[in-house]
Amino acid sequence: MEYSPILHSLHVVPSSHVKNKLFVFCIMLSLWVYMIYCCAGYCSTMPNLTFSSVNKHDAAENDGEVDNPESSLGASRDLLNNENDLDSRGDEWDEIRGEARALDDNVMSGFLNESESKKLPQAIIIGVKKGGTRALLEFLRLHPDIRAVGAEPHFFDRNYDKGLEWYRELMPKTLDGQMTMEKTPSYYVTKEVPARIYTMSRDTKLIVVVRNPVTRAISDYTQTRSKKPDIPSFESLTFKNMTAGLIDTTWSAVQIGMYAKHLERWLQYFPMEQLLFVSGERLISDPAGEMARVQDFLGLRRVVTDKHFHFNPAKGFPCLKRPEGNSKPHCLGKTKGRTHPNIDPEVVQKLREFYKPFNSKFYQMTGHDFGWD
C-alpha cells in the first residue's frame, strides 16, 4: 500500500489535539482544587456568626464559675448552672465581623499563603464577666495582626481534659507575625486555671477587664434576671443576714468582684508584668486610650485609634466605624446596655463598704487607682 502523508497527518493531529485538551483540563482542575483548599483555610480565620457553631464550642460566658468548695472564699452559688447564655456567647455586632475584616489591608495577601497554621494563643483575655471583655475582644479584632476566636473556648476551666491539641484546633489560622487570642471571662476566678495556662506557656500575656465591683454585680444580676425573671431580689441574694448586714460571699455575683483575692492566685505563677488590667469604665469613656495601652502591652503597632470609635448616647457605649467614609457605625448587640433595676441605696452602700478593703488592696497590687471608692 502506498504511503500517504495526508492520511498520516489525519491520524496524528487529532491525537495531539486531544492530548493538549487533557493537559489544559488537568491544569484547570488542579487550580480549582488549590483554590478551594485555600478558601477553606482562609474562612477558618474569619469569625463565625452562626449560633450552631457557637453552641459547638460551648462558649457561654460562665455565669458564676468561681473557686471550688475548697477555696478560701467558699462554694459559689451559681443561679445559671448549665444555662445557655447566648448573650455571653457572642453578643454579635451587627455585620461587624465582615466589616471589621475589611479594615485589614493585608488579609488578601494571606489568601493563598501556605504558611498559615493554627497556634496556641499567645494572649488571653481572662476576665472578668460583665466587665467589658466582649467589647475589648471586638476592638482588638479590628487589628490586622490579631486573629481571635469569637466564641469562648472554656478550655482551661471546663474542657481541659480534652487536651491542648483539641484547644489548638479551635484557634483560627494565622500567618507568621500574627497573634492568636481568645477570651473566657471565667478564667480569672477559677482556681485551677493559672497553673494550667502556665503549663501551656509561661510567656502567655494575660488581660483582665475590671469594673466597679458593685456595678458589675448589679449588671451580673440583671443578665441573670433577663433569663430567669422569677429569681429572688438582688437585695435578698446579697445578704446572708440582711438585718445584720452580713454579705453573702458565696454568691458568684459578689465573689467575682473580690478582685484582689483572685489576683493573689495568678501572681503565684505569673509576674505582674505579664498581666494588663483594663478599666471597663475607661473602655467606654475613652476606648482609644485604653486600646493604646492594650496594643502597647501586646507589642503591636497602634492601628486601632479614636478614628474607629463613635459614641452612641442611646446605648451608652462606643460603636465601631470605618476610619474613612460615611458608613453607619456598628454597635454591640441589643443585649448590651440593659437597664439596671432600681436597687435599695442602703444595699448599694453596704456593698461599697464591703468592697472597699478589697479595692484598696487591688489598687496597691496593680499600682493603679481605678477610682471606685
Side-chain angles (χ1 to χ4, degrees), residues 239 241-246 350:
F239 295 99
N241 187 319
M242 188 175 293
T243 304
L246 184 62
K350 288 286 186 183

Side-chain angles (χ1 to χ4, degrees), residues 10 35 41 97 120 133 144 167 170 258 270 303 340 343 370:
L10 288 175
M35 288 291 289
R97 297 289 193 266
L120 293 170
T133 58
Y167 184 46
L170 298 182
M258 300 161 68
F270 296 95
V303 172
H340 289 180
I343 306 298
F370 290 89

